[in-house]
Amino acid sequence: MIPRYTRPEMGKIWSDENKFRCWLQVEVAASLTLAEAGLVPPEAAQAIARKGDFDLRRIHDIETEVKHDVIAFTTAVAEKIGPEARWLHYGLTSNDVVDTAQALQIKEASRILMENFLSKFKTCRQQRKRPI
């Protein structure tokens, strides 16, 4: 996104920080769901949910080396989680995480667009009701 053409609240949604936060939401939700299904140890899923975090700079450093954004992300998150991280990303593809997280970002952006649209629409309706 080009900063000078981007509203701050929209820029935050499409920032790397928020993108990776959405990826983490997907990873946590998948781990907890797989634990409920008996495919991931519940204590591992809880550890992923509780300890899952990342350092943005660390992700970028790893990506420079491995040339793969999701591997860089999962590696950085695994460093924060510890041994239970072996269950992080279990049963998922990169596209599962990226596409689902992008849907979360689109939902956030759509909310802002809808709020702005409704505000402008309300203003136009009010102006139209005034006598000329």
Side-chain angles (χ1 to χ4, degrees):
M1 304 204 66
I2 302 170
R4 71 173 171 244
Y5 300 122
T6 305
R7 288 185 250 161
E9 67 271 23
M10 195 63 79
K12 286 179 186 175
I13 291 170
W14 297 104
S15 69
D16 280 351
E17 175 75 29
N18 191 57
K19 174 182 74 174
F20 293 130
R21 289 279 162 222
C22 290
W23 288 14
L24 186 57
Q25 286 179 36
V26 172
E27 292 283 0
V28 168
S31 295
L32 293 171
T33 301
L34 290 171
E36 286 178 19
L39 300 170
V40 168
E43 59 279 358
Q46 287 302 318
I48 290 167
R50 193 175 59 256
K51 298 178 187 176
D53 199 7
F54 59 85
D55 177 84
L56 187 59
R57 191 172 324 182
R58 180 70 177 132
I59 293 172
H60 290 302
D61 290 346
I62 296 168
E63 187 176 2
T64 299
E65 183 181 328
V66 300
K67 310 286 190 252
H68 194 285
D69 55 352
V70 178
I71 291 173
F73 167 78
T74 56
T75 301
V77 173
E79 291 172 353
K80 300 282 187 179
I81 295 170
E84 299 91 348
R86 67 182 294 242
W87 296 99
L88 179 70
H89 202 71
Y90 182 79
L92 299 174
T93 66
S94 294
N95 281 357
D96 292 333
V97 174
V98 173
D99 294 350
T100 305
Q102 193 170 53
L104 296 174
Q105 289 176 282
I106 290 169
K107 181 180 176 183
E108 288 180 61
S110 296
R111 181 189 50 76
I112 290 171
L113 293 173
M114 185 56 79
E115 287 172 1
N116 289 328
F117 170 77
L118 291 174
S119 173
K120 300 291 184 213
F121 182 75
K122 183 178 177 181
T123 300
C124 288
R125 280 188 63 184
Q126 290 171 347
Q127 289 175 350
R128 186 175 171 128
K129 289 180 181 182
R130 291 189 206 143
I132 297 177

